[in-house]
Amino acid sequence: MKPMVRRLFYLQKKVLMFQVVFIVMSVTFGDQFLANDGLFALIIPTIVYMAVIFPEQLDESAHYGWVLNSLPATRREIVDAKYLSALLLYVVIVLCVTISHYVFVLLGAIQNQVENLLNGMVSSFLIVGILVGVSIPITIKMAYSKGRIVNIILFITIFNVVNFIKPFLSESISGNIRWLLVWLVIGLLVGSRQFSMKEYLKKEF
Amino acid sequence: MDTILQIDELHKKMGKFQLSDLSFRLDAGYIMGFIGPNGSGKTSTIKLIMNLIKKDKGSIMVFGQDMENNEKQIKDRIGFVYDQCNYYDTLKIRDNAKLVAPFYSRWDWSVFEDYLKRFELDPNQKVMALSKGMKVKFQLAIALSHDAELLIMDEPTSGLDPIFRSELLGILKEYIEGGRRSVLFSTHITADLEKSADFITFIHNGKMVFSMEKDEVLSSYAIVKGGLDVLDEGLKRELIGVRKYRFGFEGMTRNPSYILEQYKESILLEKATLEEVMLYVAGGNV
């Protein structure tokens, strides 16, 4: 499992390097919206989503499935690594963005400090969970190129919905509803993993 | 002697194509040539061995273990070279190796570096910049760097120049020295196998024609040549394929001693090459 996650991280790193400028600019020069809602509800999920989808694109263009499934690893490990690396990546990005945000605040480069960190993290987890939970099985079932349109629609829809309900996400989520939503997204991820596993186990290369 | 690969009554249906009743065995210390015309099922068989596609029936035992239940342990001991280089084109040779190396319990970087030097490959070169031959060398360097006991190669020599093909055969012979490793080498360039293979497995239209020692194949089949007046019904029955020309005929027999005994004076018997065996058996009456 470890080499599989490491492989995904290595490939994701290629995308993240392109996004460093984007991350720094967002964190440094973001306005009130970016600081309060956008940082967690838009920036982090965008980075995670792009980084998660990039290896799928690379794998398909190289037909890497042949290599991957010829290596000493099981198909279960291949699927699990997709989810695990996405979640680990989410944690790493949240840490990086949050730390750099507070560093810039301390340096006086940012005036608008994030007000409710926990709400922000929950918001970003919910969005990342939905994006990952839907896009991974779609990519496994349809292959990246065929699932690309669905993924783009999903991406745009989620962010429009988030923009629409962002006050609800970052301000009005009371404790119980917040955790209920978290559990619902965890449920979605578990179901998504089951579906992906079933599809990947019967996949032929 | 240890059996490295044993396939019994393997069946797989893929659309209109069907691979059926495939059975053969490869022992340690040998090179097996896996031959057949394009579309005969060679790649599908290799995919079945590697569990890239699922079998319908039959059994595939590698190192005495069932692939489906011991996939990880078995694949740790297999090196593979495919017809197409499916590594990341946009990454460097070294970076591709870095992604693959941690999967293998016995990966040896010094062996990998030695092969890169031997094949004159620059580790900092991107895979997309490699020629077809260099891509095969790169795949081979990866396949040989983790002490694999079974090397599976699917059409590695197609499109390659004779110099590299000859070099590759030398590497394979070197690889099996010691008697604990084996090679399954799929190709339709049979001349390569005449120099290197110990056993030949021939499939055609998804069915196995034979699996036997190369020398036995070459002594079992012979080309028969003679005048048209000799070509009676008895002789025709003994021939696999017959080509009639203006002044004579040419065909292949699986019974050279009988033909020689019966038609000694009027026919010419020549040793068949693997290519001729494949051509006649696959072509039937041309």
Side-chain angles (χ1 to χ4, degrees), chain B residues 69 77 101 130 175 192-193 195:
Chain B
N69 300 321
R77 298 163 72 186
L130 303 178
Y175 173 75
D192 293 338
L193 298 173
K195 295 176 197 159

Side-chain angles (χ1 to χ4, degrees), chain B residues 202-216:
Chain B
F202 178 19
I203 60 168
H204 178 47
N205 285 338
K207 291 186 177 65
M208 203 171 80
V209 180
F210 59 73
S211 183
M212 55 173 124
E213 273 188 54
K214 180 188 73 188
D215 294 339
E216 198 186 333

